[in-house]
Amino acid sequence: MDVFISLIISIFEEGFIYGIMAIGVYITYKVLDFPDLTVDGSFPLGMCFTGLLISVGVDPWISCILSFLVGAVAGGITGILHVKFKVTNLLSGILVMTALWSINLVITNGSAVLSFFNKPTIFNSGIGSLFTGVMSDYKVMIMAGVLVILVKIIIDLYLKTKSGLLLRASGSNPQFVTSLGRDSGKMKVLGLAIGNGLTALSGSILGQQSGSANINSGTGMVVMALASVIIGTTLFKKITIMKATTAVILGSILYKACLSIAMLIGLPTNYLKLLMAGIFAVVLISNNMLTGRRKKVHDNSKK
Amino acid sequence: MTTPKNSLAETYNGPMVSLQNIHKTFNPHSVNELTIFENFNLDILKDQFISVIGSNGSGKTTILNLLCGSLPVDSGKILVKGQNITKMKEFQRAKFIGRVFQDPSKGTCPELTILENMAMAEAKDKHFGLTFGVNRKRLDFYKSQLELLKLGLEDKLNIQVGSLSGGQRQALALLIATMTPIDLLVLDEHTAALDPKSADNVMRLTDQFVKEKHLTALMVTHNLKFAIEYGNRLIMMHKGGMVIDAAYEKKDALDVDDLLNQFNQISIEVGN
Ligand SMILES: Nc1ncnc2c1ncn2[C@@H]1O[C@H](COP(=O)(O)OP(=O)(O)OP(=O)(O)O)[C@@H](O)[C@H]1O
Ligand SMILES: [Mg+2]
């Protein structure tokens, strides 16, 4: 029973933490229609940068904010490569992701893992230290849950502002943004900055949870985030009152649950990434089949 | 470079828009090289509503693209209210040039509601900052604007624009393009994708807005009836040049048969 509860808790912990990244990828992929591969680099960037800051004694909350900012810069560079220098969207992401690999190594001073076990993190200092006794088991889950909901509310509010409307329009009809006398390229850069800022923040929080930063932690993040976004937005499309950001967080939890159950059944760790890709493939294919069928029904009803 | 100010209009008496010595060649130095404009000139006076007709490939859309900044000119000057805008980017020119495209999906944002689209149109002259996108206090104004379209859209404020019909979207696009003050309205076959009834409605609205808001307009159309019936100047294009340019009484004297004759004559000259 105890094992079961701790499994559930860890699913929610990771679902919430990665959910912040999924909201970021929701902005780039769904709102801007930009398949952004920078994520594989900006996730460990946030984690390693936080590792560095915390090891030199920077406040963990300030480290979160600074990690968001470096992630935003990385995303902004991807955007500028695409918008100003006309590099394709996939290649812009690949370029920055590759460059970030070296940057992350520089940050960790060449080592693959940067540990900061006995330093203060958001989970073991300040508010985090208020969780004592039985509550300490639920600490990460509650704090990560509050954080992801906070991020969700801020993003929901932003998408309703004038700037947010412009961002949404840049994804669905850039010509319309141009007609309004605004530069749709600038909005793309802004959206990529927000998306990768959130990704880096997610990496920062995961690093603080484990007390170490791993430069390999970015591998597969694009797939994981996209899968969460697509699972969430597809499964909960019918519930129209649910905000897409909520659906994306639920998608992230479901995705984590699938992985954990597979591990529980006894899938060897080596197969983890294969499974991640497998689940993503199933989601994509069933998503296509669903929309394909709907389209057919629609076409028939037209005739 | 500064945006031409609306206040300039009072003191400035020259043409609203002036295209001077425009040269444009597509795909230079290749087998597909096509010189579409060689020393093209056009002055558009204030309050002129020009219909542009002409065969496929005669350069009508290209003029609009050069004017709006979607394509750069090779050489020549474009002036709006006397100010040189040749180097301005498309989005900068959009502040004083409103445009409606042939494709009804281009002039509005499908993912957003009618209300959000209207709010964005109104913000065109202001800031797109972190204030709430839709100002509820402006609801009555948006409704009164939508009522002008006579399509009942004022009762569908919270519907996504993507779910509207092409005719409804085009009427909305026209409203959005003319909601804030502009110096020039550019229309590229904006009724071509609509059924005859919707096309008539959008054309009637265009005429109404041009008159009520005293707009200067340049409309490309393949509908000779519209070209004759609406506007106060008519231009027929052929191979990058103007073969007819008739304004005011001269335009009033033209009828559809004259235009068809002229069309046939061009075709005979070309040899088909
Ligand atoms: N971006 C471009 N690149 C290359 N060639 C172009 C481009 N735009 C237009 N052309 C060519 O220039 C010529 C004029 O095209 P344009 O679109 O202006 O014609 P049009 O008068 O609008 O015709 P239609 O009535 O078919 O809309 C055509 O031969 C076209 O192929
Ligand atoms: Mg054309």
Side-chain angles (χ1 to χ4, degrees), chain A residues 40-95:
Chain A
D40 268 17
S42 53
F43 186 84
L45 173 68
M47 192 185 264
C48 296
F49 193 56
T50 295
L52 175 70
L53 292 174
I54 286 185
S55 356
V56 300
V58 177
D59 177 82
W61 290 104
I62 293 184
S63 304
C64 287
I65 293 167
L66 293 176
S67 297
F68 174 89
L69 292 177
V70 287
V73 170
I77 293 172
T78 302
I80 289 167
L81 282 174
H82 176 61
V83 170
K84 286 266 178 264
F85 300 101
K86 313 283 176 228
V87 181
T88 63
N89 48 20
L90 287 175
L91 284 178
S92 313
I94 290 176
L95 281 174

Side-chain angles (χ1 to χ4, degrees), chain A residues 30 84 157-169 172-173 175-184 186, chain B residues 90-91 94-95 101 105-112 116-117 120-121 123-124 126-133 176:
Chain A
K30 277 280 175 181
K84 286 266 178 264
L157 285 175
Y158 170 68
L159 290 176
K160 289 235 168 266
T161 64
K162 292 229 163 62
S163 171
L165 290 183
L166 211 52
L167 187 82
R168 285 156 74 191
S172 81
N173 186 0
Q175 182 66 52
F176 181 58
V177 175
T178 306
S179 304
L180 294 174
R182 297 304 189 285
D183 185 355
S184 67
K186 250 189 212 160
Chain B
E90 184 178 7
F91 77 88
K95 295 209 168 142
F101 294 87
S105 66
K106 276 194 175 171
T108 46
C109 179
E111 313 270 311
L112 302 181
E116 288 167 331
N117 272 276
M120 289 180 80
K124 181 175 168 183
K126 306 192 184 99
H127 281 290
F128 278 91
L130 294 178
T131 52
F132 257 101
I176 283 175

